[in-house]
Amino acid sequence: MSKTPALPASLKQFLVKGNELFLPGISIDCVIFGFHENTLKLLLLDSAKSNKWTLPGGFVLKSEDINDAAYRVLLERTGLNDIYLKQFDVFGQPNRTDASVHKTTFEQYGSKIPKDHCMIQRFVSVGYFALIDYTNFSIQNDPINSVYDWKGIEQVKHLPIEHDHGAIIQKALESLRTQLAYLPIGKNLLPKKFTMPELQKLYETILNKPLDRRNFQRKMLGFGILNKLNEARKGGAHKSPFLYTFNDKKYQKALKEGLYGSW
Amino acid sequence: MSKTPALPASLKQFLVKGNELFLPGISIDCVIFGFHENTLKLLLLDSAKSNKWTLPGGFVLKSEDINDAAYRVLLERTGLNDIYLKQFDVFGQPNRTDASVHKTTFEQYGSKIPKDHCMIQRFVSVGYFALIDYTNFSIQNDPINSVYDWKGIEQVKHLPIEHDHGAIIQKALESLRTQLAYLPIGKNLLPKKFTMPELQKLYETILNKPLDRRNFQRKMLGFGILNKLNEARKGGAHKSPFLYTFNDKKYQKALKEGLYGSW
DNA sequence: TTAGATTGTGTCTGTGTAACGCAATGATGA
DNA sequence: TCATCATTGCGTTACACAGACACAATCTAA
């Protein structure tokens, strides 16, 4: 896993033309959420040398909308396309990043960063969170950090995290919780077909508290955003639960008003 | 009002040392809300030459936290201190600002901007909104734009607004509305002592819909965040309403959970 | 003194939430 | 094969709260 590849094209371009191509002082960090085995998970990259985990991030082209940049960064670093992305906060502490990390990254490839390069400067980072379907996910190796892994949100607290990315993750989680009623979490974090218990577990893990099975079902059905299928999830050790899909139109409409309720 | 003052110290410093002192490519814009005569108002500055209204804004010092910068900018440009400020969004479209405006500003003072000055570059702006007590407000003249005024939020739509500040204002309003349950709007937008009808009018204007007098009172009292005083607001043409203050401790605590309810 | 508008307080009703019961299902193991 | 057992599907009851409205009390102006 820890080979020493040639300097990737994107990195080389950044090294040589960084000052010319990118906006100075601004970066983007993506907190990527997935849901698997009743756990909310984060996609983290291992910045090999420092042995710390980082968020996939990048920079903004000089004439690029910052939201477009976020989608591009996500695509370039994970291969993920057509993903739900939402800006949630800005991180602007003066010493939030450790410039030496960038040096280490480039030294991996035997390259050095020019002293006047904008990369060495302070960065204000715009945080985005992404919601993706874990089951339908396959990452192509990140061009910068070859190792990636999913980590449970509880587990993350005990991992070494690069820069202030730990704080960014916590803030992302907080935003996810407080904006829950307005976010298409079900649609984006679950597979196309899912069961009511699965949907419930998703809400329970995000809210970090148990919910009553029967009330949850009544409430969800009450929103009128689900299509009940004539199939059941076979193979479990117990009664087979029905499968559902989202009624996209009604889901979108309901989210605008917010999925009202005292979660 | 439209005298031609000498180049203010802050502007001169920015002109000469801008590239050295400030982070390039990042600016701050403040949407300042006040409440007066049953209307939600915005504090706008008149950028004299272009005859358009702008938000008070500024830049971030190279070793300054971006939140600190927001407080500093607010203080420098309005004299306001110790104000509730909250970051609400980032505006990163490539052509969101019109660089010629800056030129005009400096030409007012007979100065020119060097061609390589960071001010001419594209800016990503971080939006903050401020909540202030209109009745306890007195502004010192802004060093850059001498004319300021409060404008009702309905009125703003029909005014000429500089850059994308119109969109920023709309987004600030939207954030104010959706986060209503978590924001100390009463505490910050009203005078220390206030009546129940005044508090209700505040909520009504922010939500842009009428609320039932009796239900509103019952609900508000139910939160247990108000102290009922043994005074009444005299002088009105009708029955004197009681005065209230906030119980700060309980208010803070209640806001963390959110003032639950179907506003 | 009265009229008129506004405020303080109380009541009723429908809806939604919380809490819990019970039968049906499906794999497992005796 | 059949009993066991966790899980799912569907239902019921009690209670809190929101919405709608009634009525008395208060204050100023005419």
Side-chain angles (χ1 to χ4, degrees):
Chain A
M1 274 303 209
S2 64
K3 49 183 175 173
T4 310
L7 190 62
S10 60
L11 276 187
K12 187 174 180 183
Q13 191 184 39
F14 182 57
L15 189 63
V16 179
K17 293 194 173 181
N19 284 345
E20 185 187 333
L21 285 174
F22 295 103
L23 284 185
I26 294 188
S27 64
I28 283 174
D29 284 304
C30 298
V31 181
I32 304 176
F33 289 105
F35 187 66
H36 186 56
E37 289 173 347
N38 296 342
T39 317
L40 196 60
K41 305 223 168 192
L42 291 173
L43 187 69
L44 295 178
L45 304 172
D46 185 0
S47 55
K49 280 282 161 57
S50 71
N51 237 352
K52 289 182 177 175
W53 296 91
T54 71
L55 298 170
F59 304 96
V60 184
L61 294 168
K62 285 208 169 168
S63 61
E64 183 181 36
D65 185 289
I66 205 167
N67 289 319
D68 295 342
Y71 284 103
R72 180 182 51 75
V73 165
L74 195 65
L75 178 62
E76 282 178 7
R77 300 208 54 184
T78 66
L80 292 169
N81 208 343
D82 198 23
I83 292 297
Y84 181 85
L85 252 184
K86 191 172 168 64
Q87 183 202 112
F88 66 91
D89 212 341
V90 178
F91 300 89
Q93 290 182 309
N95 297 314
R96 47 171 296 275
T97 59
D98 176 6
S100 69
V101 175
H102 298 294
K103 289 182 190 168
T104 314
T105 300
F106 279 88
E107 280 166 5
Q108 277 182 75
Y109 304 103
S111 298
K112 282 190 176 178
I113 306 174
K115 287 191 174 176
D116 67 332
H117 197 279
C118 68
M119 197 189 329
I120 309 292
Q121 310 293 317
R122 170 188 171 189
F123 278 95
V124 169
S125 188
V126 181
Y128 286 78
F129 63 74
L131 307 177
I132 76 169
D133 173 8
Y134 185 96
T135 63
N136 192 26
F137 169 78
S138 70
I139 200 173
Q140 64 190 40
N141 263 3
D142 178 77
I144 302 173
N145 311 101
S146 52
V147 183
Y148 72 90
D149 200 2
W150 288 97
K151 301 289 183 186
I153 51 170
E154 286 304 316
Q155 196 184 350
V156 165
K157 294 174 187 169
H158 309 294
L159 293 174
I161 307 284
E162 195 73 83
H163 304 311
D164 63 343
H165 288 190
I168 295 179
I169 289 168
Q170 289 310 312
K171 193 78 189 180
L173 252 175
E174 204 177 291
S175 298
L176 192 63
R177 282 181 178 141
T178 59
Q179 299 180 60
L180 190 59
Y182 303 94
L183 298 175
I185 54 160
K187 174 77 185 167
N188 289 283
L189 285 172
L190 292 176
K192 213 159 200 167
K193 298 177 182 182
F194 55 92
T195 68
M196 193 60 79
E198 285 165 1
L199 184 59
Q200 182 182 340
K201 290 278 160 47
L202 173 59
Y203 272 86
E204 285 181 334
T205 42
I206 292 180
L207 291 167
N208 200 29
K209 68 177 179 186
L211 300 172
D212 184 281
R213 203 168 51 83
R214 295 143 285 191
N215 295 332
F216 180 83
Q217 163 145 338
R218 181 152 24 89
K219 188 170 191 165
M220 268 297 163
L221 294 178
F223 290 135
I225 59 175
L226 297 178
N227 302 317
K228 187 173 183 175
L229 305 179
N230 271 328
E231 314 171 54
R233 164 101 65 227
K234 301 283 182 185
H238 309 288
K239 178 169 181 176
S240 306
F242 285 109
L243 287 169
Y244 293 86
T245 60
F246 279 99
N247 180 329
D248 287 4
K249 266 195 182 175
K250 291 185 181 174
Y251 194 28
Q252 289 300 331
K253 196 175 170 185
L255 282 175
K256 278 186 188 169
E257 300 293 317
L259 295 182
Y260 174 73
S262 62
W263 294 110
Chain B
M1 276 299 208
S2 64
K3 48 182 176 174
T4 311
L7 191 63
S10 60
L11 276 189
K12 187 174 182 183
Q13 192 185 39
F14 183 57
L15 188 62
V16 178
K17 294 193 174 183
N19 284 345
E20 184 186 335
L21 286 174
F22 294 103
L23 285 184
I26 294 187
S27 63
I28 283 175
D29 285 303
C30 299
V31 181
I32 305 176
F33 288 105
F35 187 66
H36 185 57
E37 289 175 346
N38 296 342
T39 316
L40 196 60
K41 304 221 169 194
L42 291 173
L43 187 69
L44 295 179
L45 304 172
D46 185 0
S47 54
K49 279 282 162 58
S50 71
N51 238 351
K52 289 182 177 176
W53 296 91
T54 71
L55 298 170
F59 304 95
V60 184
L61 294 168
K62 284 206 170 170
S63 61
E64 183 180 37
D65 186 289
I66 205 169
N67 288 320
D68 295 342
Y71 285 103
R72 180 182 51 76
V73 164
L74 195 64
L75 178 62
E76 284 178 6
R77 299 207 53 183
T78 67
L80 292 168
N81 208 345
D82 198 23
I83 291 298
Y84 181 85
L85 253 184
K86 191 173 169 63
Q87 183 202 113
F88 67 93
D89 211 340
V90 178
F91 300 88
Q93 290 183 309
N95 297 313
R96 48 171 293 279
T97 58
D98 176 5
S100 69
V101 174
H102 298 295
K103 289 181 190 167
T104 313
T105 300
F106 279 88
E107 281 166 4
Q108 277 182 75
Y109 304 103
S111 298
K112 281 191 178 180
I113 307 173
K115 286 192 175 176
D116 66 334
H117 197 279
C118 68
M119 196 189 331
I120 309 293
Q121 309 293 317
R122 169 187 172 191
F123 278 95
V124 170
S125 187
V126 181
Y128 287 78
F129 63 75
L131 305 178
I132 78 170
D133 173 7
Y134 185 96
T135 64
N136 193 26
F137 168 79
S138 71
I139 199 173
Q140 65 191 40
N141 263 3
D142 179 76
I144 301 173
N145 311 102
S146 52
V147 183
Y148 72 90
D149 200 2
W150 289 98
K151 301 289 181 183
I153 51 170
E154 285 305 317
Q155 196 183 350
V156 166
K157 294 174 187 168
H158 309 294
L159 294 174
I161 307 284
E162 197 72 81
H163 304 312
D164 63 342
H165 287 190
I168 295 180
I169 289 169
Q170 288 310 311
K171 193 78 188 176
L173 253 175
E174 205 177 290
S175 298
L176 191 63
R177 283 181 178 142
T178 59
Q179 298 181 59
L180 190 59
Y182 303 93
L183 297 175
I185 54 159
K187 175 76 184 167
N188 289 283
L189 285 172
L190 291 177
K192 214 160 199 167
K193 297 178 181 181
F194 53 92
T195 68
M196 192 61 79
E198 284 165 0
L199 184 60
Q200 181 181 341
K201 290 278 161 50
L202 173 59
Y203 273 84
E204 285 181 333
T205 42
I206 292 179
L207 292 167
N208 200 28
K209 69 177 177 186
L211 300 172
D212 184 280
R213 201 168 54 85
R214 295 143 285 191
N215 297 332
F216 179 83
Q217 164 143 337
R218 180 154 30 92
K219 186 170 194 164
M220 267 298 163
L221 293 177
F223 290 135
I225 60 176
L226 296 179
N227 301 317
K228 185 173 183 176
L229 305 180
N230 270 330
E231 316 171 52
R233 166 97 68 223
K234 301 282 183 185
H238 309 289
K239 180 171 181 176
S240 305
F242 285 109
L243 287 169
Y244 293 85
T245 59
F246 279 100
N247 181 328
D248 287 4
K249 267 194 181 176
K250 292 185 180 174
Y251 193 29
Q252 290 299 330
K253 197 176 172 186
L255 283 175
K256 277 184 188 169
E257 300 294 315
L259 296 182
Y260 174 73
S262 62
W263 295 109

